[in-house]
Amino acid sequence: MDGRAEDSGRVYQSSGDQYITEHHHHDPRATGSAGGGGWPDSVRRPAIGRTPVVLRDRADVLARLREAVESARGGAVYVLHGMGGCGKTAVAYDLFQIATREFGRIGLWVNASDRASLRAGMLAVAADRGAGDGELQAARHGYRPAADLVWDRLDRSPDPWLLVLDNADDPAILRDGSWLRDSPGGIVVVTTRRAAARWWPGALLQHIGVLPRDDAARVLCDLAPHSGTLEQAALIAERLGRLPLALTLAGGFLAQQVIDPWTLDTYGRHLEQGERVDLIDQGADGLTGDDPRHLVGRTWQLTLDSFEANGLPEAVGLLRLLARLAAEPLPVSVLNRPDIGAVLPPARAEAALTALLDHSLGQLVDLGVRCVHCHGVLLDSVAAATPAEEVPVLDATAVRLLDASVPAQPDAGPYDPRLRLLAPHALALLRRSGTRGSSTGEPRGAEPGNAERESAEPESAATTADVLAVATRLAVALHRTGDYLSAWETASAAATLAERALGPEHRGVLAARSRTGRSLFRLGRYDEAEALLRQTRAAQQRLFGASDPDTLDSCHALQLVLGNHGKREEAVILLRSTIAARSLVLGPGHPATLRSRASMLTLLTAPELAAEDGGTLLELSEECVRHLGPDHTVTLNARHNHARALFVLGRFPGADAEIRRAIEQYEQRFGPDHPAVLSARQLRAQTVAALGDRETAVAIMADVTARRKQSLGADHHFTTVSRDLLGAMRSGTWQPPPPYAG
């Protein structure tokens, strides 16, 4: 088909693995939605960047797929595989239109390029197929099997459907969560670069290759009709490996030249110059073997050269900077910082970003905050072509930008979806920086001689350590908003990635492992948390000493697990030693010291509370106010735990007044569903029951149990405790502790 563009119009011929994922983040407290932030705006429309006008040379493939969607049968899984940019997404898009428009199937489209996007998209599918808010809330926070929920809803769907899992280039993501299944209710189509049959047991595999010569030439002519003849286009198409994505980008580049338009011959001469052409020439031959993302990298290099030639080198620097991060939405505010000056003048950042957007090298997306989103193939290709001497400055700049975007002192607060947006970028930078060098594996710590080792550490390992510190602090911030699943995923992945460059006994790696253990505890995975924290604490104690702040952090975390895991006596012993060491090293008024002392209020029995420091422990909340102020998180926690201690001592009126005060402050800070609020309200139910108002107590406990079931899942330890307490109150078998007369 010969197509021409007029005025500002464009004709698009083919599409590769380009996609747009649009997220909208909403506060569940305001919307009542269990989904929360991070879901795609729609799974009913294919989230792809460019839709082909005509799909060339795919008739045989579409004919086979058409037969599947035309029949009323389900249960089939089709895997479209091939090199990146071959048009797998374009084939899936055409099939999607056929299935929905001609045969009335429900069309569902999910970006499966990474774990977060797949999870969000599949939960949106579950919502589309009728899942309730409670089910979605529990699945989102990882407290019930999310994949089981999704496939149960798909199996029970009253309408036949077609589900497309696009850009599933890491099959392990699908396998680990059991996200890919067959169903009698519909047909699944997967697009991927991974062709090995072992990844797709039971699926029907279909290879998608490059375009024939004539069809490839027509792609260039349709996009840039004034740049040359069909034969000239055929020559360029061959040099580009007849890869649809490379052809689309090359044609778009030629069409956008205004001041000094290039012809196809000019484009061809640039392809022949220098080493940059090597990977492009292998495009048609590299369907297996090396990562095919690298085979189209030099196509974008021509655009970067054009930026340089036209006096806009800042766009090159910005794209290379973005290529150190992830192929996920990045808040534009991250780029609006003075630290970017090492790569490009801050005053030129706006013009540079505009140039990238104008050349289809990025897109603006709205997630409640403006973000720039670049395609993964583009970023990987640019990263591979970035001059090695520029990489250290780019990595150091990216670290500083992310560091400035993460709270310097993470504090407890309501769920903040913006924090999640930063996590994939920190991990991507950690992955890239960790491949630039290796260290001796020797730990960095407080032991003698460590400063000399640090100064001799390779630059890449030092950068990795800096990124790791940012990622760990981000995990802390996520944890303290109650997003324990994201905190665990971030800390665990950061530790694993950094360990390759820094070694398992590096101080930062061990700190990330400790944060991982804390989040495992909050997720109810006590055995895993205890084992990891014991191992980490032992390593820190051996390397840094028993009184090192990092060692003491792990001690505090471990006693939390032990106290909730039926090992109270060991927890008390460990906590006493932690308090003593923190008081000596940090001082008695330090927040960490006061936090540990507040934990003691939750572990002691009535006689122990009365005897502890002559009863001065019961005055801890006032001490926290003097040192930290009345609104500090540790002060609020101490007030909560003080109410618990009064309850254990049988001082019910005082306990009730204190916990009501704590609940009011908690709800103002965190909202009604934060774990700290639910814990405080459970104690309130007990104080009310102890004061004789069993009806009110049962109502409070019923609400707490329902909220914990929704957010944590029915089998979480905290949910079980709440459910048992509710049952005892309803039956009248629950009894408050007797007043302590000692």
Side-chain angles (χ1 to χ4, degrees), residues 403 405-416 418-420 422-423 426-427 467-495 507-520 522 533 540 549-550 553-554 556-557 582 592 595 632-634 669-670 674:
D403 180 68
S405 302
V406 177
Q409 298 289 336
D411 197 3
Y415 170 70
D416 184 359
R418 292 175 297 177
L419 293 174
R420 278 189 179 181
L422 299 175
L427 296 178
V467 185
L468 176 60
V470 174
T472 303
R473 197 169 82 245
L474 177 59
V476 175
L478 288 164
H479 183 101
R480 290 180 178 173
T481 65
D483 191 357
Y484 303 130
L485 181 62
S486 295
W488 167 67
E489 290 177 338
T490 301
S492 177
R507 178 181 287 275
V509 172
L510 291 171
R513 295 289 184 205
S514 183
R515 293 308 313 182
T516 303
R518 285 186 181 234
S519 295
L520 284 171
R522 290 299 178 182
L533 287 169
Q540 290 170 325
D550 284 1
D553 283 348
S554 295
H556 181 88
R582 278 184 161 175
R595 187 186 299 274
H632 195 281
T633 301
V634 173
R669 280 273 299 273
F670 309 140
H674 193 278

Side-chain angles (χ1 to χ4, degrees), residues 654-718:
D656 186 65
E658 186 81 330
I659 197 60
R660 281 191 287 110
R661 184 180 174 189
I663 291 172
E664 181 180 355
Q665 291 180 292
Y666 273 158
E667 289 184 336
Q668 289 176 353
R669 280 273 299 273
F670 309 140
D673 294 317
H674 193 278
V677 175
L678 297 180
S679 177
R681 295 188 68 233
Q682 177 166 295
L683 178 57
R684 174 84 205 291
Q686 294 172 287
T687 62
V688 169
L691 291 172
D693 190 353
R694 195 176 80 174
E695 182 179 352
T696 300
V698 167
I700 294 173
M701 273 312 305
D703 181 68
V704 170
T705 303
R707 291 177 186 269
R708 278 187 161 169
K709 181 179 179 181
Q710 184 180 58
S711 61
L712 302 176
D715 298 327
H716 194 283
H717 174 70
F718 291 167

Side-chain angles (χ1 to χ4, degrees), residues 440-462:
T440 61
E442 293 188 41
R444 293 169 64 195
E447 69 277 21
N450 186 69
E452 288 77 11
R453 281 199 296 274
E454 284 195 20
S455 63
E457 192 175 39
E459 185 178 31
S460 60

Side-chain angles (χ1 to χ4, degrees), residues 206-417:
Q206 173 63 59
H207 176 248
I208 306 295
V210 297
L211 292 173
R213 177 186 173 97
D214 291 345
D215 290 292
R218 290 191 177 94
V219 170
L220 287 173
C221 289
D222 288 341
L223 291 171
H226 303 295
S227 297
T229 66
L230 188 63
E231 183 57 31
Q232 290 172 323
L235 294 174
I236 300 300
E238 286 292 346
R239 291 178 182 140
L240 294 173
R242 295 178 278 119
L243 190 67
L245 177 57
L247 297 167
T248 300
L249 292 171
F253 172 83
L254 291 169
Q256 292 181 36
Q257 298 300 304
V258 178
I259 298 176
D260 184 19
W262 284 16
T263 65
L264 285 166
D265 285 340
T266 304
Y267 195 91
R269 286 195 297 272
H270 278 267
L271 286 176
E272 294 173 355
Q273 295 172 358
E275 296 180 358
R276 67 170 63 97
V277 74
D278 292 345
L279 292 178
I280 297 178
D281 289 340
Q282 299 173 25
D285 302 324
L287 294 176
T288 59
D290 293 337
D291 185 354
R293 288 179 184 263
H294 297 165
L295 301 179
V296 293
R298 305 313 180 193
T299 301
W300 290 291
Q301 187 62 46
L302 292 175
T303 304
L304 302 188
D305 292 344
S306 175
F307 286 148
E308 296 275 10
N310 287 282
L312 194 61
E314 295 86 2
V316 179
L318 178 58
L319 187 56
R320 287 174 177 167
L321 177 63
L322 293 174
R324 307 308 297 170
L325 304 175
E328 291 290 335
L330 175 73
V332 176
S333 59
V334 173
L335 305 175
N336 188 28
R337 298 184 183 278
D339 295 300
I340 204 172
V343 174
L344 69 154
R348 297 289 292 165
E350 180 77 28
L353 180 57
T354 300
L356 297 183
L357 299 175
D358 288 345
H359 285 76
S360 299
L361 297 177
Q363 305 165 69
L364 288 179
V365 293
D366 182 11
L367 298 91
V369 60
R370 288 196 311 159
C371 295
V372 59
H373 190 192
C374 296
H375 193 276
V377 176
L378 166 65
L379 296 185
D380 283 353
S381 301
V382 172
T386 297
E389 62 272 16
E390 295 185 16
V391 170
V393 174
L394 292 169
D395 283 351
T397 301
V399 173
R400 288 195 294 270
L401 292 174
L402 291 176
D403 180 68
S405 302
V406 177
Q409 298 289 336
D411 197 3
Y415 170 70
D416 184 359

